[in-house]
Amino acid sequence: MVDETLLIQKSRAGDRKAFEGLLRLYQDRLFRLAHKVCAQAPAEAEDVLQDTMLAAFKKVKGFRGDSSLGTWLYRVASNLCWMRLRRKRREALEPLPAGPDAEARGALASKDPLDDPAARARRNELRRAVGHALEGLPADQRAVVVLSDVREMKNRDIARTLGLSLPAVKSRLLRGRRWLRTHLEKKDVRSR
């Protein structure tokens, strides 16, 4: 098992191998977070991941440990994604592609091959609907909903990660869940 504290100390001292070890610990989680937060521009997730790693490399010496390294990296990745989305909207070169959110839909999938085909089809439909609904949420609400409901983080950890107050997290979570519920209920009514 890797000692994260030791890797952080070595990284702060300039040890590149230790820093690479730290990034390996968080790389997959950061990519999934970037992919979800940047759901309106999924191609941006890889760039956000690279930019997060570069920013972390440049600033790891200043990491004070006021929060966990994961919280710090999540905040960097979220901020980079939001900046990219804002820049894309400002530039208005083309509409943002709306790709399905595979992980959110995959979270609802059953791995049991003996399942009833009709039940599997209903779950697939629900996964698609949830993925598309998540894409429709504003980025600030989507980030909070994903961290809470998909990543299963506690509200106070989300607040620390995103640099928000606890009431702001609760408000965004409430608004995001309401919007999702309304959107999914409308989808169900239309499909019947």
Side-chain angles (χ1 to χ4, degrees):
M1 185 160 158
V2 179
D3 181 7
E4 183 177 311
T5 307
L6 181 61
L7 288 177
I8 292 170
Q9 289 172 349
K10 287 183 175 183
S11 296
R12 289 173 70 192
D15 184 335
R16 281 182 166 238
K17 289 194 187 266
F19 183 75
E20 290 170 8
L22 277 177
L23 292 182
R24 275 192 297 279
L25 292 174
Y26 289 98
Q27 184 173 352
D28 291 339
R29 287 181 274 179
L30 287 170
F31 180 78
R32 285 191 302 271
L33 174 74
H35 191 266
K36 287 187 182 315
V37 174
C38 293
Q40 293 174 338
E44 297 288 330
E46 186 67 36
D47 291 337
V48 168
L49 176 63
Q50 293 300 320
D51 289 349
T52 301
M53 291 178 176
L54 182 61
F57 180 72
K58 289 178 179 177
K59 298 184 185 238
V60 73
K61 288 180 182 176
F63 177 68
R64 296 185 314 254
D66 295 339
S67 63
S68 73
L69 182 69
T71 298
W72 182 65
L73 291 171
Y74 274 17
R75 186 171 186 180
V76 170
S78 295
N79 287 339
L80 288 170
C81 189
W82 290 334
M83 287 187 314
R84 284 176 170 272
L85 289 174
R86 271 185 254 138
R87 185 172 50 241
K88 277 192 170 290
R89 284 187 195 119
R90 235 185 353 259
E91 291 171 357
L93 295 175
E94 61 185 4
L96 296 175
D101 189 336
E103 187 179 329
R105 291 190 316 248
L108 300 173
S110 170
K111 304 293 183 205
D112 185 1
L114 302 176
D115 274 349
D116 172 31
R120 248 192 333 263
R122 283 190 301 272
R123 277 194 304 277
N124 287 338
E125 171 88 17
L126 180 59
R127 273 186 264 128
R128 274 192 296 278
V130 168
H132 289 297
L134 276 172
E135 291 170 5
L137 274 173
D140 61 338
Q141 291 176 20
R142 182 174 48 246
V144 172
V145 168
V146 166
L147 290 174
S148 176
D149 296 340
V150 178
R151 301 294 299 159
E152 298 179 348
M153 287 177 72
K154 292 183 168 122
N155 287 350
R156 66 175 156 33
D157 295 331
I158 295 169
R160 227 178 291 127
T161 298
L162 299 178
L164 299 171
S165 67
L166 189 56
V169 168
K170 290 178 180 180
S171 174
R172 289 178 186 187
L173 188 57
L174 178 66
R175 285 194 319 261
R177 285 176 175 165
R178 278 186 185 159
W179 188 91
L180 286 171
R181 185 178 311 114
T182 301
H183 181 79
L184 291 171
E185 286 172 354
K186 286 179 184 176
K187 180 96 173 138
D188 284 343
V189 171
R190 285 191 212 139
S191 66
R192 287 184 190 183

